Amino acid sequence: MTLESGITFFLAIFIFGITPGPGIFAILAKSMTQGARSCNWLSVGMVISDICYLVMACFGLASLAHAWEEVFLIIRILGGAYLVYLGWKMWTSVPALAQELSNPDLKVKQQDKLSSFIQGFMISASNPKVILFYIAFLPTFMDVTQLGVQDIAIASLLTFIALMTGLTLIALMAAQARKHLNSPKSLKLVNRTAGSIMATAGLYVGLKG
């Protein structure tokens, strides 16, 4: 991969990463209710899942997505159900003030990090069509017949940075909007809106073909 193709690949992945979908909706919902920092491990989970598909595409394992169709169906249903559950939790939760969310003394618990990571991983893993995207996408930027370990590592690193940058920007913008809402009534509306977004994303993931 040349420098020029690497930069183009990075920009294309960045745009792909911020394209509206269940993952973006999950980031928006979580950031609106818990702050941008809470989305870090959610984003990492989504990106790692995408990189797994990227590597599979590099090794020409698209057939795996078809062979394991039933497995992906189960993953998709479980992931969708989990997002609906999180949406319900957001809808019924007591809203936290913006000052509380920005308090550096409030640390995310270890189990919350793991839960967020798994949630993000399942959101992306529930869509095996991503591997088809990478298979169609990669030949534009590199010679897939001459791929080596170094090429795959570079592509994976660029993908990680591009996707994390895009998702982090989305989370920061959503959290910034919430900072201007400090009344309990407005925060309750935010929680319910975010819960609806999360539940809708869950239904989309679980019911799409």
Side-chain angles (χ1 to χ4, degrees), residues 16 49-66 72 124-139:
F16 169 70
S49 181
D50 255 53
I51 290 177
C52 288
Y53 278 133
L54 169 65
V55 173
M56 290 168 64
C58 289
F59 285 105
L61 299 180
S63 58
L64 190 63
H66 298 290
F72 283 117
S124 290
S126 65
N127 186 14
K129 293 179 182 178
V130 172
I131 192 175
L132 302 180
F133 166 80
Y134 281 120
I135 284 178
F137 189 68
L138 288 175

Side-chain angles (χ1 to χ4, degrees), residues 72-103:
F72 283 117
L73 175 61
I74 295 174
I75 293 175
R76 188 170 73 239
I77 293 174
L78 290 176
Y82 186 49
L83 290 181
V84 172
Y85 166 75
L86 290 176
W88 175 78
K89 292 281 288 183
M90 290 178 178
W91 180 279
T92 58
S93 65
V94 177
L97 295 177
Q99 294 93 327
E100 295 175 347
L101 290 176
S102 60
N103 188 343

Side-chain angles (χ1 to χ4, degrees), residues 80 83-84 198-208:
L83 290 181
V84 172
M198 185 73 83
T200 301
L203 291 173
Y204 175 81
V205 168
L207 299 178
K208 70 178 180 178

Side-chain angles (χ1 to χ4, degrees), residues 107-146:
K107 296 182 179 180
V108 181
K109 296 180 180 179
Q110 195 66 30
Q111 58 267 33
D112 292 337
K113 294 179 181 179
L114 179 60
S115 175
S116 292
F117 177 85
I118 294 174
Q119 176 191 346
F121 191 90
M122 290 182 67
I123 290 173
S124 290
S126 65
N127 186 14
K129 293 179 182 178
V130 172
I131 192 175
L132 302 180
F133 166 80
Y134 281 120
I135 284 178
F137 189 68
L138 288 175
T140 306
F141 303 95
M142 61 185 75
D143 183 359
V144 293
T145 63
Q146 301 293 329

